[in-house]
Amino acid sequence: MKRTASAVWTGGLKDGKGSLSTPSGALKNVPYGFSMRFEDAPGTNPEELIAAAHAGCFSMALSAQLGEAGMTAESINTTATVTLDKVEGGFAVTAVHLNLAAKIPQADQKAFEAAAERAKVGCPISKLLNAKITLDAKLQV
């Protein structure tokens, strides 16, 4: 299975602008630029999209792990925070923190924690990233 996305960029780094699109139409000429990435201007940026992808991937992986452990979540709410740092040679994504709140009636805390850890390590986006990935997992029963 392959997925694609396209980026178009015109101009220099700081004065240029770009747009992102996906064949599915989920992203269609979504603008991005230097100020959106490094100066908190409104709009998206690659790191925000990685965070969204990681949160979604982890949530689905957790659902699968919970199912294998005989649990079904009423809700899984994951926020991924991607850290972009200046490093030798430029910038790098150095960390991702996953913040999870899951509602699983009658869940066992230890089984939940084990499923969350397996999902953190096993989700394809986690495997893609060469960054420290941490997790805070809260269970609501």
Side-chain angles (χ1 to χ4, degrees):
M1 178 181 332
K2 295 183 180 181
R3 300 287 186 229
T4 62
S6 62
V8 175
W9 186 265
T10 57
L13 176 62
K14 290 189 177 183
D15 66 342
K17 58 185 173 187
S19 65
L20 303 165
S21 298
T22 57
S24 69
L27 301 175
K28 186 172 182 175
N29 298 319
V30 174
Y32 77 107
F34 185 89
S35 62
M36 295 170 191
R37 193 169 191 188
F38 297 107
E39 298 172 353
D40 293 329
T44 195
N45 59 67
E47 293 74 31
E48 180 180 72
L49 297 173
I50 290 168
H54 202 179
C57 181
F58 171 81
S59 294
M60 289 180 73
L62 177 58
S63 180
Q65 291 297 324
L66 291 170
E68 288 181 19
M71 295 181 275
T72 302
E74 208 173 277
S75 65
I76 296 171
N77 185 338
T78 306
T79 301
T81 302
V82 170
T83 300
L84 179 69
D85 284 322
K86 187 163 179 55
V87 297
E88 185 176 323
F91 285 86
V93 171
T94 57
V96 178
H97 179 72
L98 300 171
N99 194 350
L100 164 67
K103 185 170 185 179
I104 311 168
Q106 283 98 41
D108 173 78
Q109 181 71 36
K110 286 187 181 187
F112 164 73
E113 289 172 2
E117 186 61 30
R118 286 192 305 272
K120 181 189 87 167
V121 172
C123 126
I125 301 300
S126 290
K127 293 176 183 178
L128 169 73
L129 298 171
N130 185 19
K132 179 180 178 184
I133 301 168
T134 57
L135 167 68
D136 284 335
K138 293 181 181 67
L139 173 64
Q140 302 166 342
V141 291

